[in-house]
Amino acid sequence: MASALSDFQPQPAPQATAAAQAAIGDGLVAEAQAFADELAAWRHDLHQMPELGNNLPQTSAYIQARLTEMGIPFATLVDGSCVVGLVGAAAAQGNGVCMDEQAGTVVMLRGDMDALPVAEESGEPFASTNGCMHACGHDMHATALLGAARLLKAREAELVEANATVKLLFQPGEETFEGARAAIADGLLQNPRPQAAFAMHVNSQSPLGLVLYGSPALSGVYGFRITLQGKGGHGSSPEICIDPITAGVHVHLALQELIAREVPAAKEVALTVGKFAGGQAANVIPDTCVLEGTLRGFDVELMEHLKTRIAEVVKGVATTYRTPATIETLSDVPPLVLDDDMTQASLGYVGAVLPKSAFLPLFHAMASEDFALISSEIPSAYFTVGAAVTDTDEHFAQHHPKARFSDAELPLGTAAYAAVALGYIADHR
């Protein structure tokens, strides 16, 4: 039987080094609390302009405007929908550009900012009305990162003196697993190249002050689309048609057998076909049938084997039912494997600024995250943090149309982001 979080004893965070403690200080939370109303206003603004995928013109413009007000230089990637700000030595060199070999210490903080195609039912006074919703809390991440940008800008002279830079990544396309890959292709990890990265994700069902961590934290994901080509016609004469729906049913069943008969019972693997589309009328056999699904797991070698087997099974079934098949890759992201040293250090930095937080090494889930593409390139840490509202017993999960998040988390997230940057820089001068 699964255990509740309350069944586990929270662990103290590792002690940050003396240098990191001194750099972080004891005033970050109070400083963030002083502009908590502005943080909430930013978050409510972002919440009311949810945009999808890699196309975030309004959201990007809003982030750019706030960074401009703070005097923080930035560049845009991914056709303008990704914003990368710089605070510290690289920013002081002019034009927000610093060659890697001159960069000194560079740490990157990431906040994603895309939404979901979910019609909001949260009842919040600032609920979105455009048919999309920040049901995963990315508006919280972007806001906390803006808050951290303000805290770090106030300490820019110290960063310049240390020849250190904080790279602020406001990323699109996490929900579609497109954003990190596109940003990396556009040069995200150069000029200057970060030596480490850090990200957080709010949880709508965990209380404030709870921090979960672990590695591998999240599974890899392979998303696919299968198109079966049949021969349409009248439903009264199936013998002169080739029915792709029948083929699609057998493809779906055959894919489930892969999990039942080709995956060891001890392995964590999930294969879901979430879309099955074919036909528009009861008496018409369609030309095509389309299936879309995801494969998730933590064992990279097993995932590669299953991808090969999916292609083989689809081809075999399609041949049997005379429906040529094509398979398209919709997403391909590795498991979120994190660096032990960076994780332990970041726990110390967050513990230094949020000493009353509870830390549990239980972050291991079948969800996926394209931050994995960054963590596979540079040492990274990633935590999930509690952001549940306190005025209801109905704590809906992420992606639910009634999901809600507490504004009270924003100053805490702001301070945590800043503390990781300041602590890492102090430890790597």
Side-chain angles (χ1 to χ4, degrees):
M1 181 179 295
S3 298
L5 287 177
S6 57
D7 294 335
F8 294 91
Q9 184 65 36
Q11 299 182 0
Q15 189 74 24
T17 65
Q21 290 271 8
I24 294 168
D26 58 5
L28 284 176
V29 173
E31 195 173 334
Q33 291 283 8
F35 59 93
D37 289 346
E38 192 166 6
L39 287 170
W42 291 344
R43 185 248 167 157
H44 297 175
D45 288 344
L46 289 169
H47 194 87
Q48 293 178 85
M49 59 176 77
E51 297 173 297
L52 306 179
N54 276 354
N55 185 28
L56 312 182
Q58 287 182 282
T59 306
S60 176
Y62 189 89
I63 297 297
Q64 292 177 52
R66 304 290 80 74
L67 293 178
T68 298
E69 291 169 357
M70 297 178 202
I72 295 176
F74 58 85
T76 60
L77 308 174
V78 193
D79 296 324
S81 288
C82 179
V83 184
V84 182
L86 294 175
V87 181
Q93 292 181 16
N95 300 319
V97 175
C98 178
M99 300 305 291
D100 294 342
E101 61 270 17
Q102 304 169 332
T105 303
V106 183
V107 60
M108 184 165 71
L109 306 177
R110 179 270 214 163
D112 43 5
M113 54 184 187
D114 57 319
L116 288 157
V118 173
E120 183 159 1
E121 300 174 13
S122 69
E124 297 282 21
F126 51 88
S128 62
T129 58
N130 68 352
C132 300
M133 179 187 175
H134 274 293
C136 203
H138 294 186
D139 54 328
M140 302 283 290
H141 306 161
T143 298
L145 188 54
L146 278 176
R150 174 178 285 189
L151 296 180
L152 293 167
K153 182 65 177 179
R155 293 158 175 80
E156 188 163 47
E158 302 166 24
L159 299 178
V160 172
E161 182 181 356
N163 190 27
T165 300
V166 182
K167 205 164 190 176
L168 308 165
L169 168 59
F170 296 88
Q171 184 203 302
E174 187 281 323
E175 296 291 356
T176 56
F177 306 118
E178 301 171 313
R181 192 184 306 277
I184 290 170
D186 280 357
L188 170 67
L189 300 183
Q190 283 77 47
N191 299 328
R193 181 175 178 83
Q195 286 111 38
F198 176 77
M200 295 187 297
H201 202 300
V202 292
N203 188 303
S204 60
Q205 296 181 297
S206 296
L208 292 177
L210 179 63
V211 178
L212 302 182
Y213 64 98
S215 184
L218 297 170
S219 72
V221 58
Y222 167 62
F224 55 88
R225 176 187 293 123
I226 301 166
T227 302
L228 300 164
Q229 182 63 53
K231 179 182 177 182
H234 201 288
S236 65
S237 304
E239 73 279 3
I240 64 173
C241 304
I242 300 175
D243 189 351
I245 293 179
T246 296
V249 169
H250 285 275
V251 164
H252 180 270
L253 293 174
L255 293 180
Q256 302 312 306
E257 293 301 317
L258 288 177
I259 304 302
R261 285 294 173 264
E262 298 191 23
V263 175
K267 293 291 185 180
E268 300 169 289
V269 177
L271 195 162
T272 297
V273 174
K275 179 177 180 180
F276 192 116
Q280 297 185 25
N283 62 344
V284 178
I285 292 174
D287 279 327
T288 61
C289 179
V290 177
L291 295 79
E292 293 183 9
T294 63
L295 171 71
R296 297 172 191 258
F298 294 95
D299 185 320
V300 174
E301 185 176 347
L302 178 59
M303 289 280 285
E304 289 301 317
H305 168 73
L306 289 173
K307 284 190 278 185
T308 298
R309 289 293 290 134
I310 287 171
E312 291 172 350
V313 166
V314 170
K315 180 179 178 180
V317 174
T319 298
T320 299
Y321 289 92
R322 301 177 296 154
T323 53
T326 59
I327 303 177
E328 303 169 65
T329 297
L330 303 180
S331 56
D332 197 356
V333 173
L336 181 57
V337 178
L338 302 163
D339 183 80
D340 288 341
D341 291 341
M342 182 61 183
T343 295
Q344 291 300 307
S346 297
L347 287 169
Y349 306 146
V350 174
V353 76
L354 302 176
K356 295 182 180 179
S357 291
F359 296 85
L360 286 173
L362 301 177
F363 190 24
H364 182 75
M366 293 299 290
S368 302
E369 226 307 351
D370 74 347
F371 187 69
L373 295 166
I374 293 172
S375 72
S376 65
E377 292 283 338
I378 55 178
S380 300
Y382 184 103
F383 301 156
T384 182
V385 297
V389 294
T390 58
D391 60 346
T392 178
D393 291 330
E394 296 180 336
H395 289 159
F396 294 94
Q398 261 100 294
H399 293 216
H400 193 283
K402 293 183 179 180
R404 296 172 62 202
F405 302 87
S406 173
D407 287 341
E409 191 278 333
L410 296 172
L412 307 181
T414 288
Y417 267 128
V420 170
L422 295 171
Y424 180 87
I425 288 167
D427 283 341
H428 293 82
R429 293 185 64 167

